[in-house]
Amino acid sequence: MPQHDGPAQSGQPADGAETSSLESDTRLVWNPFLAEYTGQAPARMRRLELTDDCPFCADLTTGCVPPESQAWIRPNDFPALQPPNGECYLLIYSADHDRTFADLTVPEVVRIIGLWQRIYAELSPRYPCVMTWETSGEVIGQTQRHPHGQTYAVAIMPEMLGRELAAVERAEAAGDPCPFCAEVRAESAGPRMVLEGAHWVGFIPAYARYPYQVRLTSRAHTSAITGIAEGEPMEELAAFLPRIIRAYNRAFQAPMPYMLALHQLADERFHLHVELLPVGRAPGKLKLAASCEMAWGFWMNDSFPEVKAAELRDYVRREEEERAVMEQLPTPAQRAVAAYREQFASLTESEPLTVAWAPGRVNLIGEHTDYNDGYVLPVAVDRMVSLAGQPHAGTTSRCYSVHHRQRHFFRSNRAALLAPDRRRRTPLWVRYVRGVLRELVASAATPQTPAFNAAIVGDVPVGGGMSSSAALDVAVATFAAALGGPRLSPLETALLCQRAEAASAGVHTGIMDQAIACLARADYALLLDCRSLSYEYIPVRLPGVVVAVFDTQVSRALASSGYNARRQQCETATALLGRLVRADDASREIRALRDVTTDDLARYGARLPDPLLRRARHVVTENARVLAAAEALRAGDADRLGAHLYASHASLRDDYEVSCLELDVVVEIAAAVPGVLGARMMGAGFGGSALILVHQDTFEGLRDALAATYPARTGKRGELHRCQVSGGPESRVVALDKR
Ligand code: GLA
């Protein structure tokens, strides 16, 4: 078989020795009839397609790229070309597996264009053509769902690029201007224009092969992506690309499979353009080989470009209007809307959509004090759980959880909710949703919450000690209220959610998590007296201090974690101490460990069996620390606050025994980093997260220290989050265009 293993000139085969045909080899084979090359790479048959173990997510956990990477270049494990024929790389567009190019923000796409530039600069000196592209959609061969593109550097000039270059050469020989520049001028403001900016024009070429094919050409004459200047030209490109893809999605009422291809050459006569080739011709109808008469290379377009351009212009406009509405929503809420539309499109009976969300929390201090009638000092953070959906006239509610990738339904009329859930396999997240609805109907006879369909999206790490379950409970209650359910005060909602949590998960939590999820205010901590439920907002004014949370990735299941056992021990200690105290002073009442003083412990502690004295000592000293920490916060004294955090950790570790190796290791590593003000385990313990107060200048140093030591000492990777002190639950009704 004639083949080629070296760079070819002008589309002609060079003299090349026959290469071996081992499975792992790749080769370029010359087609003498069409005068073009075909690549062959049998090893690509072994690709793992659409696996759940995403190889690109693994880059972050296996140390291939730094764990905080947002977008990166990696080798292609199944290269279609190998030197000297070419090289293949993957460009990972986002660390987030569930994003798509279409929903990336302008800064995120700018970062991707940065990757396109880097890979072009790297490969173009060595190869005549650098093909950067993306295939999106399984029907046209996307094999990994994780958002990514690819770059193939090829040792030959692909046929289409060669022909485009020839057009440029012909124009030059005739003394005409660049034909791409001429095309931009001719199409501007014309009937085939889809969107036009100061730096880029997107139009359907007069000779388009695909109905919705858009060519995005830069107004400035530049031959490759590296010629695109930072700032406006790049930002406009970054805005236009996803806008066009979103318009496709709207046109097809579903994510539209497309190819995106950068046409660029290291020949300054050439003119950079991006081809966007969506392979649908109408909703549900593909335009692949079946309708393009491919066997002849003769393309049949089932449309007139002017008609499709007008359609796309309208979609671009409507999409942008909708985006403006969506941008008012926090990211998880936006994603909930998108997931709702994807999951329930066919069920949608009426617009508009109701969206609700509630935050996760970081407890500054006051651990295991809430169920002892003590004090806590939590803040809400910029992590939340959101529901988006619509009511309907039936009696069955349906929910889709993006995190669990599960869809469930349950009868949600009053009688059905009040009856016990007999389905043994109902997942926990559904029990939470149902549990809140149940408490709502149990607490108020009317009005009843209507049945609904909703999608649930959150970015509070599940099992990460930031109270994702309370965020879910409160988000459901807020959603139900927005649908016309009973309107409760924030504290009533918190108490209701606490009851729901106990009933659905069997964990008798205190009130802290639900209270902060309901009462939070941006930039304030909540000093809550868990006995009287009176509270005070204390401003978090600690300039230059970052509230960081390190997720140990030791998942903690509250019910099985000894939480209820600790609660039980506190009750026993209360009863014993109560008896001892009252024997000496009948006027005193010990209803909870809140009523015990350090003097009491000194006097009666020896009579408590181990571990009850230590449990009680933690609660008594922790209550005092909360009040002292609140004082430090009022005074804006971050050092003092930090010192209380360390003391709290020691007490939780030694007296309350709810820490674990991983949490202790985090606190130890953090404490050794200069600029860290304080650290402690947070929440119920037995895993989950640690809170670290750190100077912003040291944040990166802390990250490095954790990355250097935590995995080696624990065998786990862990994850550091930077948190903003944020507000409480909200809901909105958003009117979106019907697709
Ligand atoms: C969990 C519970 C809270 C509280 C903490 C420990 O988060 O839900 O009520 O008891 O543990 O402080």
Side-chain angles (χ1 to χ4, degrees):
M1 166 116 20
Q3 49 186 269
H4 167 70
D5 70 349
Q9 306 297 320
S10 319
Q12 296 297 314
D15 296 337
E18 297 245 326
T19 55
S20 80
S21 57
L22 290 176
E23 267 273 291
S24 61
D25 280 349
T26 70
R27 61 190 183 189
L28 291 169
V29 180
W30 178 246
N31 178 335
F33 299 99
L34 297 183
E36 64 185 24
Y37 282 99
T38 301
Q40 296 177 346
R44 289 172 65 72
M45 286 296 225
R46 293 202 297 268
R47 277 180 293 178
L48 300 171
E49 310 230 342
L50 303 172
T51 62
D52 279 340
D53 295 330
C54 171
F56 308 153
C57 286
D59 283 353
L60 293 162
T61 47
T62 52
C64 288
V65 296
E68 297 305 320
S69 304
Q70 295 299 311
W72 62 94
I73 300 174
R74 71 178 325 268
N76 191 319
D77 297 332
F78 298 91
L81 298 155
Q82 285 167 328
N85 292 332
E87 290 173 40
C88 297
Y89 296 89
L90 288 160
L91 314 174
I92 310 304
Y93 287 172
S94 169
D96 183 343
H97 182 89
D98 295 321
R99 302 293 294 280
T100 64
F101 190 84
D103 74 32
L104 295 181
T105 62
V106 169
E108 286 170 325
V109 181
V110 163
R111 206 159 49 212
I112 290 166
I113 297 171
L115 296 185
W116 293 348
Q117 293 186 323
R118 239 173 71 203
I119 197 101
Y120 180 83
E122 163 75 19
L123 295 170
S124 61
R126 290 189 275 130
Y127 292 95
C129 182
V130 177
M131 295 162 31
T132 287
W133 52 281
E134 186 200 342
T135 323
S136 171
E138 285 145 36
V139 287
I140 53 168
Q142 183 186 2
T143 54
Q144 297 296 341
R145 290 203 180 94
H146 197 116
H148 70 283
Q150 312 207 32
T151 293
Y152 286 5
V154 246
I156 48 97
M157 179 73 78
E159 174 62 12
M160 199 181 282
L161 272 271
R163 282 157 74 178
E164 286 183 346
L165 183 61
V168 170
E169 286 169 344
R170 277 197 306 277
E172 191 190 43
D176 290 339
C178 159
F180 288 97
C181 289
E183 186 177 51
V184 166
R185 277 193 297 276
E187 294 291 351
S188 285
R192 287 181 293 270
M193 188 56 69
V194 173
L195 82 181
E196 197 165 1
H199 304 278
W200 294 87
V201 288
F203 54 93
I204 303 188
Y207 41 82
R209 292 170 164 181
Y210 290 92
Y212 294 90
Q213 167 179 349
V214 170
R215 167 175 292 179
L216 197 57
T217 309
S218 73
R219 284 192 192 272
H221 182 95
T222 178
S223 72
I225 193 72
T226 38
I228 300 305
E230 274 180 30
E232 262 184 42
M234 197 181 285
E235 280 162 21
E236 191 173 285
L237 174 62
F240 278 15
L241 286 169
R243 269 168 87 175
I244 297 169
I245 300 168
R246 289 198 298 270
Y248 291 159
N249 293 348
R250 183 172 278 266
F252 289 90
Q253 297 162 28
M256 178 62 209
Y258 63 85
M259 292 166 277
L260 178 158
L262 264 63
H263 286 210
Q264 54 183 350
L265 287 177
D267 179 327
E268 58 189 36
R269 294 169 304 174
F270 194 73
H271 193 126
L272 167 73
H273 53 284
V274 186
E275 297 282 358
L276 288 136
L277 309 170
V279 297
R281 60 193 151 103
K285 289 182 184 159
L286 289 182
K287 179 193 165 40
L288 288 170
S291 74
C292 71
E293 286 69 42
M294 269 296 280
W296 289 267
F298 174 73
W299 288 76
M300 198 56 229
N301 188 340
D302 304 345
S303 77
F304 286 141
E306 297 75 14
V307 174
K308 291 295 160 195
E311 205 183 294
L312 277 183
R313 273 199 303 277
D314 189 43
Y315 286 135
V316 166
R317 181 187 54 76
R318 282 158 57 184
E319 192 60 34
E320 288 324 295
E321 283 168 8
E322 185 170 311
R323 205 154 170 89
V325 174
M326 294 283 277
E327 268 165 12
Q328 306 298 315
L329 303 176
T331 311
Q334 291 181 23
R335 293 181 60 190
V337 171
Y340 176 74
R341 290 180 133 177
E342 215 176 285
Q343 291 296 324
F344 296 104
S346 60
L347 296 171
T348 304
E349 285 169 7
S350 64
E351 301 287 347
L353 250 69
T354 297
V355 190
W357 59 90
R361 62 102 183 94
V362 158
N363 184 19
L364 293 179
I365 196 160
E367 225 61 91
H368 291 276
T369 46
D370 59 356
Y371 53 82
N372 287 301
D373 280 2
Y375 301 100
V376 290
L377 187 63
V379 297
V381 291
D382 53 342
R383 305 281 168 138
M384 61 183 66
V385 174
S386 176
L387 274 82
Q390 290 176 309
H392 62 77
T395 54
T396 300
S397 289
R398 306 174 190 89
C399 293
Y400 177 77
S401 157
V402 169
H403 176 80
H404 297 279
R405 295 189 185 162
Q406 287 174 346
R407 185 176 168 136
H408 269 265
F409 63 88
F410 53 87
R411 298 285 309 284
S412 61
N413 54 319
R414 191 178 153 78
L417 284 171
L418 290 175
D421 179 9
R422 295 196 195 285
R423 290 188 295 186
R424 256 186 272 133
R425 277 190 228 262
T426 306
L428 189 57
W429 70 268
V430 184
R431 280 192 268 146
Y432 282 129
V433 177
R434 193 181 173 279
V436 172
L437 298 174
R438 182 188 186 284
E439 290 303 321
L440 279 171
V441 296
S443 67
T446 52
Q448 180 174 318
T449 308
F452 58 82
N453 300 322
I456 306 174
V457 173
D459 61 0
V460 190
V462 175
M466 291 167 81
S467 205
S468 56
S469 57
L472 173 58
D473 291 338
V474 176
V476 172
T478 310
F479 182 75
L483 292 188
R487 292 216 166 254
L488 305 174
S489 73
L491 266 180
E492 284 167 342
T493 307
L495 288 163
L496 182 139
C497 290
Q498 184 191 23
R499 289 198 299 278
E501 177 124 9
S504 40
V507 189
H508 298 279
T509 71
I511 190 65
M512 169 171 70
D513 301 343
Q514 297 81 5
I516 184 66
C518 289
L519 287 162
R521 272 197 202 163
D523 302 323
Y524 284 87
L526 181 80
L527 174 61
L528 177 70
D529 178 336
C530 300
R531 169 170 282 169
S532 67
L533 296 185
S534 61
Y535 51 87
E536 174 193 342
Y537 290 105
I538 303 181
V540 181
R541 265 188 230 116
L542 303 170
V545 175
V546 171
V547 175
V549 168
F550 187 81
D551 183 351
T552 59
Q553 285 173 348
V554 179
S555 180
R556 146 205 76 82
L558 270 183
S560 58
S561 68
Y563 184 92
N564 287 345
R566 291 295 180 287
R567 202 174 166 144
Q568 187 60 52
Q569 288 168 343
C570 289
E571 278 162 23
T572 313
T574 305
L576 288 176
L577 282 165
R579 245 174 275 143
L580 294 167
V581 169
R582 282 173 61 86
D584 287 347
D585 180 351
S587 71
R588 284 189 58 200
E589 197 190 352
I590 307 288
R591 277 160 53 204
L593 288 177
R594 150 79 172 267
D595 304 311
V596 176
T597 64
T598 37
D599 282 353
D600 294 334
L601 288 181
R603 190 175 310 172
Y604 308 109
R607 287 194 252 163
L608 292 185
D610 195 56
L612 297 189
L613 170 62
R614 288 185 294 128
R615 303 294 187 257
R617 188 164 60 205
H618 164 72
V619 176
V620 173
T621 56
E622 183 80 349
N623 273 329
R625 278 187 292 271
V626 176
L627 297 178
E631 210 32 66
L633 190 62
R634 276 189 208 100
D637 188 339
D639 288 314
R640 200 143 50 94
L641 180 61
H644 293 307
L645 261 53
Y646 285 130
S648 169
H649 183 76
S651 175
L652 287 157
R653 181 191 57 208
D654 303 334
D655 277 351
Y656 216 65
E657 294 180 295
V658 287
S659 187
C660 61
L661 168 84
E662 290 82 354
L663 286 164
D664 293 343
V665 167
V666 177
V667 172
E668 208 181 292
I669 297 171
V673 177
V676 168
L677 304 159
R680 62 176 202 84
M681 58 146 279
M682 185 179 75
F686 306 101
S689 295
L691 159 68
I692 306 170
L693 281 191
V694 54
H695 255 286
Q696 67 189 19
D697 307 342
T698 334
F699 183 77
E700 290 308 321
L702 169 67
R703 187 195 293 288
D704 294 346
L706 286 163
T709 320
Y710 181 77
R713 287 187 58 186
T714 63
K716 304 200 168 57
R717 194 171 69 89
E719 203 176 344
L720 187 65
H721 304 281
R722 196 185 172 119
C723 299
Q724 294 290 339
V725 178
S726 304
E730 285 183 52
S731 65
R732 299 255 201 295
V733 174
V734 292
L736 298 177
D737 210 2
K738 259 213 188 338
R739 298 203 167 198

